[in-house]
Amino acid sequence: MTTDSAIQDVVFSEEAIHERVRELGREISSAYSAEDRLVVIGVLKGSFLFMADLVRVIEIPHGIDFLMASSYGDSMVSRGEVALLHDPKTDLEGRAVLLVEDIVDTGTTLSVLLPHLEERGASRVDVVALLHKRLTSGLVEPRWVGFDAPNSFLVGYGLDHAETFRHLPYIASL
Ligand code: 5GP
Ligand code: MG
């Protein structure tokens, strides 16, 4: 059995993702000015492809950095605890931060990361999430969302299951 044969359905095609990322780039570009000293921070590893495509369509000058939060590991369900494994080295004092997330599920990850970035001195922190399952308490909502996601386990375009499928150019459900 090849890894790809475990995939059931393509949920968002490569073309649909490409088109939506371009729209997000336009919206984000109009929301910031050079004085905001924008820094775009990707949440590793799941956001790496989205981040790479998104920054190429953001027309405001910006810095780039990454942080890493603990993941689900090999599990498909949230354990409800989040640890910061890598804190960005960039000085965030007085800068607008755009946090780039692959997918928001319960919102637990964001509820830990946002206060942390504010404590690091960011003048404002906004979130762009490619996917949103809308299972959150509603306390922490991304400012921009690529797609509303079905409540199934998604892989591809950066998203993994046990470190497989990240390379797929589309998003599929297992
Ligand atoms: P939350 O903290 O909002 O419950 O979960 C957010 C994180 O859980 C995401 O950044 C992602 O790493 C992981 N996650 C949530 N749903 C999925 C999914 O359907 N597929 C994959 N691969 N990861 C998911
Ligand atoms: Mg993640």
Side-chain angles (χ1 to χ4, degrees), residues 7 17 46 49 102 130-131 154-161 164-172:
I7 292 170
I17 295 167
L49 289 181
D102 50 1
L130 180 65
L131 300 159
L154 301 174
V155 295
Y157 195 65
L159 292 150
D160 76 309
H161 176 238
T164 56
F165 306 115
R166 285 196 201 277
H167 66 288
L168 298 175
Y170 52 85
I171 292 164

Side-chain angles (χ1 to χ4, degrees), residues 2-168:
T2 68
T3 52
D4 283 12
S5 68
I7 292 170
Q8 288 179 346
D9 297 301
V10 175
V11 180
F12 300 107
S13 69
E14 188 173 0
E15 293 72 24
I17 295 167
H18 182 75
E19 181 54 37
R20 187 70 186 113
V21 171
R22 290 179 66 87
E23 286 172 5
L24 288 171
R26 281 194 288 272
E27 289 175 29
I28 290 165
S29 299
S30 66
Y32 296 93
S33 63
E35 295 80 70
D36 292 318
R37 297 171 55 236
L38 177 65
V39 55
V40 181
I41 298 180
V43 183
L44 291 171
K45 298 178 219 174
S47 73
F48 85 109
L49 289 181
F50 178 39
M51 172 94 170
D53 287 342
L54 186 66
V55 295
R56 283 181 280 185
V57 290
I58 296 179
E59 290 164 357
I60 302 294
H62 58 278
I64 287 176
D65 211 331
F66 294 92
L67 63 75
M68 190 174 222
S70 55
S71 71
Y72 292 8
D74 290 357
S75 164
M76 290 201 208
V77 288
S78 171
R79 288 185 304 258
E81 44 193 65
V82 181
L84 190 63
L85 304 180
H86 173 75
D87 203 12
K89 296 285 181 284
T90 305
D91 183 5
L92 305 181
E93 192 65 44
R95 300 186 69 173
V97 169
L98 177 64
L99 191 67
V100 181
E101 254 286 33
D102 50 1
I103 183 163
V104 176
D105 182 4
T106 63
T108 306
T109 305
L110 289 183
S111 72
V112 172
L113 296 182
L114 266 65
H116 174 74
L117 294 168
E118 280 159 6
E119 277 164 30
R120 293 257 337 249
S123 57
R124 89 191 227 217
V125 184
D126 289 296
V127 178
V128 55
L130 180 65
L131 300 159
H132 196 335
K133 286 186 177 168
R134 308 228 179 252
L135 300 178
T136 63
S137 59
L139 290 175
V140 185
E141 288 295 328
R143 181 166 177 189
W144 293 281
V145 171
F147 301 102
D148 280 342
N151 188 22
S152 52
F153 195 80
L154 301 174
V155 295
Y157 195 65
L159 292 150
D160 76 309
H161 176 238
E163 293 303 328
T164 56
F165 306 115
R166 285 196 201 277
H167 66 288
L168 298 175

